[in-house]
């Protein structure tokens, strides 16, 4: 375990920050960069679970991410005061209290920053779209796009985690292609899947492609500078397990509270459906000892008790397994590594009673039409033989996204980009849209709306 390397404060581009005038350390600077980024602001209108909702009490990606940040910070503080953990990592006090908790806060806040409109279903729509487009042939029987098999995977295995890494490292464009230029430690902690190769679901770090081909060199730099290569394979940064736990805790608990607030079920239903789990049954019985509280209060107390249980579990499992984590031998999520099966029960309940609900699936079908319509328009126009059509489409694309692709490729005009980077521009633009903006843009280009 080389925690000094894990907490590497170096950056992809050396920092020009004037440290004499800024008392923050590098990781505190990271948090500021993240909070003030446009990509964070856009998450206020991106789907968490309930697309295009007009209910202000229901979570967006932004409110979810703020809660994940809070839970992650709680886990980090618990670790920072745990004698067993302190004895194992042997770090200075500054590293314990002003580095680890702050790194986790940043990683938690940006963990969903690359998710497209309409949530995880939006990822599937993009993947499915490009599987079909890459199978197309022109009139001579040649592939429609000049894209290598490795480059095709960026689209056919499109993932919000990999897009988030691209957003952080490139697409928050100012004057160079280093994005927010975050520290190695913060970027590594963000990477749940430090994998730019094939998916292999047997291994947690390769469950998805967490890095696109276009950012492979950045991944290599991070792996080297944070010492995250063991026996020739990439391993997760240990703090990414904390970020993952905080995310899972929040969506498992808060999705249930959101669905309750939408009146999809009541507290007796929760009690009945989860009665088979002894730990959850004990929590509910403790809550119901008070006869004078409302159902709303019961659900809030249920949330508090579950978060407390799962945070404590994450801390215990992290400390107990930290050596295996750092050796790349731990292959489980912290809160699912539990004989009592609390997280598993919450997960089963949500899939049975929330994610398959008709209200969600109906809006997801709308999202399918919107995303396919946008992709069809921009792909067909940007690759059109007629220059005027290409100009019209490119003119409507975000200037910062276009500049990033031009600088990456070392060219000056869209038409000079390779097919790979033309498709990158399109997907970068569409995946960065909020749900409502995507819907409005689709209505405009399909003639359903004028302004």
């Amino acid at each position: 375990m080389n925690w000094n390397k894990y907490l590497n404060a170096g950056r992809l581009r050396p920092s020009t920050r004037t440290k004499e005038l800024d008392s923050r350390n590098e990781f505190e600077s990271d948090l500021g960069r993240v909070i003030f980024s446009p990509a964070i602001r856009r998450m206020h209108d991106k789907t968490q679970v309930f697309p295009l909702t007009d209910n202000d009490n229901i979570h967006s990606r932004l409110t979810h991410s703020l809660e994940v940040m809070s839970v992650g910070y709680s886990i980090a503080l618990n670790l920072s005061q745990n004698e067993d953990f302190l004895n194992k990592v042997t770090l200075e006090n500054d590293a314990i209290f002003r580095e680890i908790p702050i790194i986790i806060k940043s990683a938690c806040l940006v963990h969903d920053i690359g998710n497209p409109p309409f949530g995880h279903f939006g990822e599937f729509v993009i993947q499915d779209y490009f599987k079909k487009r890459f199978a197309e042939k022109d009139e001579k029987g040649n592939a429609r796009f000049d894209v290598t098999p490795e480059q095709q995977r960026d689209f056919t295995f499109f993932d919000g985690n990999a897009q988030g890494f691209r957003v952080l490292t490139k697409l928050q464009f100012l004057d160079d292609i280093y994005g927010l230029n975050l520290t190695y430690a913060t970027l590594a902690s963000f990477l749940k899947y430090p994998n730019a190769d094939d998916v292999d679901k047997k291994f947690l770090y390769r469950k998805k492609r967490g890095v696109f081909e276009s950012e492979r060199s950045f991944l290599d730099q991070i792996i080297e500078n944070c010492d995250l290569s063991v026996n020739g394979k990439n391993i997760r940064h240990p703090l990414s397990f904390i970020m993952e736990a905080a995310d899972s805790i929040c969506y498992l608990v808060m999705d249930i509270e959101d669905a309750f607030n939408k009146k999809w079920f009541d507290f007796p239903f929760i009690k009945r459906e989860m009665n088979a789990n002894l730990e959850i049954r004990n929590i509910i019985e403790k809550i119901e000892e008070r006869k004078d509280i409302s159902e709303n209060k019961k659900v809030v107390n249920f949330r508090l008790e579950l978060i407390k249980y799962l945070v404590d579990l994450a801390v215990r499992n992290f400390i107990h397994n930290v050596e295996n984590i750092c050796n790349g031998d731990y292959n489980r999520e912290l809160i699912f590594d539990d004989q009592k099966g609390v997280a598993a029960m919450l997960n089963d309940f949500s899939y049975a009673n929330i994610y398959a609900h008709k209200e969600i699936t109906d809006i997801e079908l709308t999202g399918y039409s919107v995303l396919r319509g946008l992709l069809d328009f921009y792909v067909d126009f940007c690759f059109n033989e007629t220059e005027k059509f290409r100009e019209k489409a490119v003119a409507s694309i975000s200037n910062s996204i276009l500049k990033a692709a031009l600088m990456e490729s070392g060219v000056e005009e869209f038409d000079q980009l390779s097919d790979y980077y033309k498709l990158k521009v399109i997907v970068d633009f569409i995946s960065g849209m909020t749900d409502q903006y995507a819907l409005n843009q689709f209505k405009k280009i399909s003639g359903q709306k004028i302004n």
Side-chain angles (χ1 to χ4, degrees), residues 50-98:
F50 306 93
L52 297 173
T53 182
D54 56 2
N55 186 334
D56 290 340
N57 290 320
I58 303 302
H59 287 77
S60 67
R61 283 285 166 192
L62 180 58
T63 50
H64 165 70
S65 297
L66 290 170
E67 290 172 352
V68 173
M69 181 175 70
S70 176
V71 171
Y73 187 61
S74 294
I75 296 173
L77 290 181
N78 285 342
L79 284 174
S80 299
Q81 299 174 65
N82 185 287
E83 288 298 326
D84 289 340
F85 178 69
L86 297 178
N87 290 335
K88 288 182 177 184
V89 300
T90 60
L91 290 167
E92 300 294 330
N93 280 345
D94 264 7
I96 294 295
F97 291 106
R98 287 191 63 192

Side-chain angles (χ1 to χ4, degrees), residues 3-56:
W3 278 87
N4 289 319
K5 293 279 277 188
Y6 295 153
L7 304 183
N8 193 326
R11 301 179 187 274
L12 296 170
R13 172 180 55 73
S15 176
T16 58
R17 188 165 67 95
T18 307
K19 298 175 185 177
E20 293 78 10
L21 303 177
D22 189 347
S23 60
R24 298 174 301 167
N25 65 33
E26 296 299 330
F27 308 116
E28 290 160 343
S29 174
D30 278 355
L31 183 58
R33 298 176 191 209
V34 165
I35 288 173
F36 285 93
S37 66
I40 286 290
R41 291 195 292 273
R42 284 197 296 273
M43 289 202 298
H44 79 92
D45 190 25
K46 283 199 172 188
T47 294
Q48 170 59 17
V49 172
F50 306 93
L52 297 173
T53 182
D54 56 2
N55 186 334
D56 290 340

Side-chain angles (χ1 to χ4, degrees), residues 210-247:
V211 177
F212 292 137
E213 196 67 28
S214 49
E215 284 72 56
R216 182 185 287 271
S217 64
F218 283 172
L219 171 63
D220 292 341
Q221 283 182 252
I222 292 166
I223 294 297
E224 179 181 355
N225 283 280
C226 290
D227 196 23
L228 296 175
S229 178
V230 175
N231 297 325
K233 69 176 183 180
N234 295 348
I235 65 169
R236 278 180 165 188
H237 192 288
L239 297 186
S240 70
F241 283 85
I242 303 298
M243 178 268 289
E244 177 183 58
D247 177 29

Side-chain angles (χ1 to χ4, degrees), residues 305-322:
E305 292 294 331
L306 286 173
I307 290 177
K308 181 180 185 303
Y309 174 85
L310 293 170
V311 165
D312 290 344
L313 175 65
V315 171
R316 289 197 310 273
N317 276 343
F318 186 83
I319 295 169
H320 179 71
N321 294 289
V322 67

Side-chain angles (χ1 to χ4, degrees), residues 268-281:
F269 180 84
I270 295 173
K271 176 182 177 180
R272 184 168 63 253
E273 292 296 304
M274 298 196 193
N275 189 60
N277 185 278
L278 178 60
E279 187 67 32
I280 294 179
R281 186 163 73 240

